[in-house]
Amino acid sequence: MKNFKVKEGVYVPDMGLTYDEKDPYVRMYKPTYDRVCKVDEHYPFVDNSLKYRFLTCTMHLLVLNFAERIYLRLNTGLRFKGRTILKKYKKELAGGYISIANHTLPHDCESVLLAIGAKHTVKIPMFQKNFETSNQFWLKVVGGIPIPPAEEGLSAMKKFNEAFDEFHRRGYCFHIFPEMSKWPYYTPLRPFQKGAFTMAYKYQMPILPCAITYRERTGIFKLFGKANEPLITVEIGEPIFPDKSQPRKQDVERMLQESHASMRNMMGIIENPWPASADDLPKE
């Protein structure tokens, strides 16, 4: 990778994968789309049914916080760093926050949710097509909310935005991957889209940057995973707070730049091949 340099001791896994050097948002994850999920103005973005509430609570307790925790601990050696930040800013984070992370692993969402101790009320905006896969049920009960595709028009997006207005009113937390698409085991940090930071400014919610980094697979962990797959660590950084006294565009850009810098630092990146913002990508 050109123009990529890390601090001494930072582990960079070599998975033999090829990554696009021009478009950081190419979707490498290509599942089988064998379900139907129409996301229009009639989609139940806010599901208050007893069945849904029971499933989300149950899945968080039994699947995420029990089964998934054990699986990730054995298979990926999952570790957490910086959890004292959650205690340090307990009061500031109590009204809800937006966690962000680099999007690089099959189980990166669950890993981050475990790291920050997310409750079953967390909501996660997700690519709509992912709800047309065999993961549809899990995505819904873990808190996934499909983003309406452009062809559904403004009415669907209006309902989506109204749903997040309601989630914010209830004090829920949100999790967003500002890199958009998943690039397995990619170690540089790709440019961020502005959605998470625009939402942070709108709702005056702090951004909680989290960084996923890698460790060489050693010891007993060789028994539970492929030899070339790295172990992972999720580190939590200092929250970044919006400033309503500043113009929206200016403050959104500030939060984006500070978040990207914070995550690069946690990842041990000295030189990064991508700019922080999608706006700074070379124009074709």
Side-chain angles (χ1 to χ4, degrees), residues 158-194:
K158 179 181 178 182
K159 291 294 184 180
F160 174 86
N161 290 332
E162 289 175 351
F164 274 86
D165 290 343
E166 176 61 18
F167 296 145
H168 174 249
R169 188 191 67 79
R170 297 181 185 184
Y172 291 0
C173 294
F174 306 146
H175 177 71
I176 297 176
F177 289 107
E179 292 178 313
M180 287 183 56
S181 56
K182 184 184 298 179
W183 282 18
Y185 304 103
Y186 191 64
T187 42
L189 190 59
R190 287 174 285 151
F192 287 171
Q193 296 283 334
K194 292 184 177 179

Side-chain angles (χ1 to χ4, degrees), residues 128-280:
Q128 178 267 336
K129 290 291 289 182
N130 289 344
F131 288 77
E132 296 182 356
T133 71
S134 58
N135 289 327
Q136 183 186 86
F137 173 78
W138 169 249
L139 295 180
K140 287 182 178 180
V141 298
V142 79
I145 306 294
I147 302 170
E151 57 266 27
E152 292 297 342
L154 294 177
S155 57
M157 185 55 69
K158 179 181 178 182
K159 291 294 184 180
F160 174 86
N161 290 332
E162 289 175 351
F164 274 86
D165 290 343
E166 176 61 18
F167 296 145
H168 174 249
R169 188 191 67 79
R170 297 181 185 184
Y172 291 0
C173 294
F174 306 146
H175 177 71
I176 297 176
F177 289 107
E179 292 178 313
M180 287 183 56
S181 56
K182 184 184 298 179
W183 282 18
Y185 304 103
Y186 191 64
T187 42
L189 190 59
R190 287 174 285 151
F192 287 171
Q193 296 283 334
K194 292 184 177 179
F197 312 99
T198 301
M199 192 175 286
Y201 185 85
K202 175 182 179 181
Y203 298 130
Q204 289 297 285
M205 298 171 72
I207 293 285
L208 189 66
C210 301
I212 297 171
T213 55
Y214 308 102
R215 312 188 312 275
E216 186 175 3
R217 186 174 291 271
T218 58
I220 193 173
F221 294 110
K222 291 183 177 180
L223 301 176
F224 298 100
K226 297 179 180 179
N228 67 329
E229 289 184 349
L231 304 177
I232 66 172
T233 300
V234 179
E235 183 172 356
I236 302 169
E238 293 271 337
I240 296 167
F241 297 91
D243 184 354
K244 196 72 170 183
S245 69
Q246 298 299 314
R248 181 186 63 82
K249 183 177 181 180
Q250 177 180 320
D251 203 48
V252 165
E253 181 65 20
R254 174 191 64 82
M255 288 189 287
L256 183 154
Q257 294 289 340
E258 289 185 9
S259 296
H260 204 273
S262 172
M263 290 170 61
R264 292 197 309 269
N265 183 60
M266 286 188 282
M267 296 165 71
I269 297 175
I270 298 174
E271 294 182 17
N272 197 59
W274 300 101
S277 173
D279 290 348
D280 295 327

Side-chain angles (χ1 to χ4, degrees), residues 95-115:
Y97 54 85
I98 301 175
S99 57
I100 62 172
N102 46 322
H103 204 5
T104 63
L105 296 169
H107 297 275
D108 51 12
C109 185
E110 300 98 302
S111 299
V112 174
L113 295 183
L114 287 170

